[in-house]
């Protein structure tokens, strides 16, 4: 079975502070992991995926297979980063299915 | 490229009625997936269609059904609506349903269904 856990429902930081959104997963095979973001009144959009290993809007995420984690990090948070963040997993022959975590609402205060 | 579009954006129905939601994928995408989003359960996978065939299905009752047309557009139908069906229904398209490592799902804006 596939499962994604985001332990923090709410996360508040001040502008310029580092931020880390946690994501843990459970999957027996080799997963594909994603971070999606939903800004206020906008559609869900892909932020980054682990195979691309690129930094988007200053965010990075490293897949740690030993700890089954895929935490999202940014060294200096900006107010425009305030949004809902979802970690998601795709695996094997489960076609077209992303398993999402419950999401973390990030608020960056000025 | 135009993004994923969904119609209608808002719907109000009463218990017992049925409803049909529509999704147009990004041009060239052959896979369409549907999700239900609620505050309590979050984002849950309903089903996926590829080349007019349902390939994958989530844990929802048979009242939830879908289909896909030859142009990859998809519809989702919910019969005998219940209060608990009130949710945001999201459609997502991808080239091959995440079957290849470089594939990505792109989401539509959703249809907000309210059941009274």
């Amino acid at each position: 079975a596939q499962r994604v856990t985001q332990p923090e429902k709410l996360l508040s930081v001040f502008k310029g502070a580092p931020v880390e959104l946690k994501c843990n997963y459970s999957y027996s095979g080799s997963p594909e992991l994603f971070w999606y973001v939903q800004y206020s009144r906008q559609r869900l959009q892909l932020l980054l995926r682990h195979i691309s290993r690129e930094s988007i809007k200053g965010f990075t995420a490293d897949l740690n297979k030993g700890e089954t984690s895929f935490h999202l990090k940014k060294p200096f948070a900006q107010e425009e980063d305030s949004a809902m963040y979802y970690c998601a997993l795709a695996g094997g022959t489960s076609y077209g299915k992303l398993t999402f975590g419950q999401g973390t609402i990030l608020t960056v205060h000025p | 490229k135009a993004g994923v579009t969904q119609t209608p954006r808002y719907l109000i129905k009463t218990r017992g009625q049925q409803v049909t939601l529509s999704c147009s994928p990004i041009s060239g995408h052959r896979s369409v997936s549907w999700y239900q989003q609620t505050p309590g359960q979050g984002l849950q996978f309903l089903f996926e269609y590829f080349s007019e065939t349902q390939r994958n299905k989530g844990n929802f009752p048979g009242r939830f059904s879908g289909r896909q047309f030859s142009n990859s557009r998809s519809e989702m139908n919910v019969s005998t609506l219940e209060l608990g069906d009130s949710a945001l229904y999201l459609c997502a398209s991808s080239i091959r349903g995440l079957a290849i490592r470089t594939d990505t799902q792109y989401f539509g804006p959703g249809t907000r269904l309210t059941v009274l």
Side-chain angles (χ1 to χ4, degrees):
Chain A
Q2 301 173 178
R3 188 177 179 86
V4 176
T5 303
Q6 292 179 250
E8 303 134 332
K9 194 167 184 177
L10 301 168
L11 186 61
S12 288
V13 300
F14 285 99
K15 177 182 172 181
V19 63
E20 181 179 50
L21 291 87
K22 291 184 167 51
C23 171
N24 289 92
Y25 67 90
S26 173
Y27 182 65
S28 55
S30 185
E32 297 290 332
L33 284 149
F34 306 81
W35 277 99
Y36 278 83
V37 60
Q38 190 166 32
Y39 300 103
S40 179
R41 296 190 178 87
Q42 293 187 28
R43 66 181 67 191
L44 202 57
Q45 56 187 280
L46 179 69
L47 181 61
L48 54 79
R49 57 189 303 164
H50 87 273
I51 63 162
S52 64
R53 301 183 68 80
E54 58 185 347
S55 172
I56 305 293
K57 299 185 179 184
F59 285 97
T60 59
D62 289 317
L63 177 60
N64 185 322
K65 291 187 177 180
E67 295 183 358
T68 59
S69 68
F70 188 57
H71 302 328
L72 184 68
K73 300 176 185 179
K74 185 169 182 177
F76 308 103
Q78 303 299 314
E79 290 178 69
E80 55 266 30
D81 296 328
S82 296
M84 172 75 100
Y85 291 80
Y86 290 98
C87 181
L89 177 154
T93 56
S94 194
Y95 296 115
K97 176 182 177 180
L98 284 172
T99 298
F100 285 88
Q102 288 292 92
T104 298
I105 299 172
L106 173 65
T107 303
V108 181
H109 300 283
Chain B
K1 250 186 192 178
V4 178
T5 58
Q6 292 185 245
T7 56
R9 295 292 310 277
Y10 301 91
L11 266 177
I12 300 176
K13 293 286 186 178
T14 56
R15 277 182 299 174
Q17 287 186 309
Q18 75 164 15
V19 66
T20 299
L21 314 181
S22 182
C23 172
S24 292
I26 291 171
S27 177
H29 286 193
R30 294 168 63 191
S31 167
V32 174
S33 297
W34 289 89
Y35 296 85
Q36 182 194 65
Q37 186 175 27
T38 59
Q41 300 297 318
L43 280 150
Q44 293 187 291
F45 173 78
L46 280 154
F47 31 65
E48 185 252 10
Y49 285 86
F50 180 83
S51 292
E52 302 178 65
T53 301
Q54 186 184 88
R55 288 194 303 184
N56 201 358
K57 190 176 187 311
N59 295 325
F60 279 82
R63 299 185 298 105
F64 292 82
S65 63
R67 59 178 176 168
Q68 187 180 37
F69 303 94
S70 58
N71 62 357
S72 295
R73 191 177 68 85
S74 176
E75 287 182 348
M76 190 191 103
N77 185 274
V78 188
S79 62
T80 320
L81 284 166
E82 299 177 0
L83 295 179
D85 297 334
S86 294
L88 182 67
Y89 289 89
L90 296 175
C91 154
S93 77
S94 61
I95 297 172
R96 301 247 330 250
L98 305 176
I100 51 177
R101 288 172 65 84
T102 54
D103 205 0
T104 300
Q105 273 190 354
Y106 295 89
F107 284 79
T111 295
R112 172 76 61 188
L113 172 64
T114 302
V115 182
L116 303 175

